[in-house]
């Protein structure tokens, strides 16, 4: 569980590059933490257009069981994506799905990905293979300087993308992707 | 965490009777499980009149920390109160309060009570001292027959009340109680 402001940055890569990037991370002393299969379900609010308010309600389901429910606030001004996050840990996700359904929240979109987590130099780096969207690196940190140092080290500075996976998946659904 | 149909029955007693009832329970082999101070926060849905739909969304906060978020469906026909319940356990309630606030749910009502739990003969009996509403016994079970046996044993059959604490507190607020 947690709450606070999350700062992160996302980069589009070729899926073939994942191995090279992992080698660079390990060489720089980063620790591999885990790999997980995650399904992110994004919800439609019963009476509010969360998309136009730049908000999101996401239920993340881990393949190993359990999950978390996250509210993401509007993105703030600035170089990196920063937004409020409020998170509830769930030992089982089925009750949360049912409860949301009873309150009128509809499942709008599901994003499936394999995610590998690395930690080091004050940041968390994830290597994501996202179903039908491709491969990406994400860097998350408490402050922008740490992100800048690691993106330079990985040679990713000019490959930033600002869209969320939910936005990409929505475009794809609408045939714009 | 859980989901299913809850069958329960509530009885109004004098607060001075609690001790006698506890003695009867212990004499009948019931086990005292715990006493807890609970604050139940009932929410207003952002765009739906849950009260007229006979639904409730309740965040229960335990004095010892932690809590649970519960959706209660409309009461079904029948002798005892039976309604769908969907429940999420929370190791900390603060994130849930914030998340509900961000989604537009408003805290409508708070009910504070001291509750003593007993278990035996296929039922859970709670003895409740509810702030500004008085004292009550609740019997909860999987099926009506177990409730009937225990209410007879406690001599409570003709003291059933059908209102929920939320309804009583609301009446009180409106000056009807």
């Amino acid at each position: 569980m947690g709450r606070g402001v999350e700062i992160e940055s996302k980069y589009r890569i070729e899926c073939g590059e994942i191995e090279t990037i992992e080698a660079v991370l390990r060489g720089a002393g980063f620790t591999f933490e885990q790999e997980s299969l995650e399904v992110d379900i994004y919800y439609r609010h019963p009476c509010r257009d969360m998309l136009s308010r730049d908000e999101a309600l996401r239920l993340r389901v881990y393949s190993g069981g359990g999950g978390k429910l996250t509210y993401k606030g509007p993105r703030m001004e600035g170089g990196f994506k920063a937004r409020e996050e409020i998170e509830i840990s769930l030992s089982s996700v089925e009750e949360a799905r049912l409860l949301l359904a009873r309150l009128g929240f509809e499942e709008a979109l599901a994003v499936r990905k394999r995610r590998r987590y690395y930690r080091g130099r004050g940041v968390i780096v994830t290597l994501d293979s996202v179903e039908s969207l491709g491969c990406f690196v994400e860097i998350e940190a408490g402050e922008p300087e740490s992100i800048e140092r690691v993106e330079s080290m990985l040679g990713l500075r000019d490959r930033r993308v600002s869209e969320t996976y939910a936005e990409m998946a929505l475009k794809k659904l609408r045939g714009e992707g």
Side-chain angles (χ1 to χ4, degrees), chain A residues 33-49:
Chain A
E33 296 218 310
Q34 58 170 324
E35 175 175 313
S36 65
L37 294 170
E38 301 173 356
V39 182
D40 289 338
I41 301 168
Y42 291 89
Y43 283 88
R44 207 175 284 122
H45 192 286
C47 51
R48 187 185 273 185
D49 185 358

Side-chain angles (χ1 to χ4, degrees), chain A residues 75-174:
Chain A
R75 280 164 279 197
M76 302 163 185
E77 297 287 325
F80 291 109
K81 198 174 72 175
R83 59 199 308 192
E84 185 191 27
E85 280 208 358
I86 305 168
E87 214 155 75
I88 299 175
S89 301
L90 303 166
S91 57
S92 150
V93 295
E94 262 328 292
E95 285 76 17
R97 283 182 89 157
L98 273 173
L99 191 142
L100 288 167
R102 292 294 186 277
L103 295 176
F105 288 81
E106 284 173 16
E107 303 190 1
L109 207 62
V111 175
R112 282 169 192 79
K113 64 176 177 296
R114 182 177 63 98
R115 172 167 264 191
R116 291 171 62 78
Y117 291 82
Y118 281 86
R119 184 186 288 271
R121 305 200 178 183
V123 308
I124 294 168
V125 178
T126 60
L127 299 146
D128 297 345
S129 309
V130 189
E131 194 179 283
S132 80
L133 296 182
C135 291
F136 300 85
V137 172
E138 278 196 3
I139 306 175
E140 189 188 325
E143 71 296 310
E145 295 71 25
S146 309
I147 296 184
E148 281 167 2
R149 275 193 294 271
V150 176
E151 70 173 11
S152 292
M153 183 188 91
L154 297 173
L156 292 173
R157 177 160 297 203
D158 55 354
R159 290 156 86 177
R160 283 189 203 160
V161 289
S162 58
E163 277 180 319
T164 64
Y165 292 140
E167 287 167 339
M168 293 180 203
L170 201 62
K171 271 196 185 169
K172 197 106 189 168
L173 266 183
R174 291 177 175 159

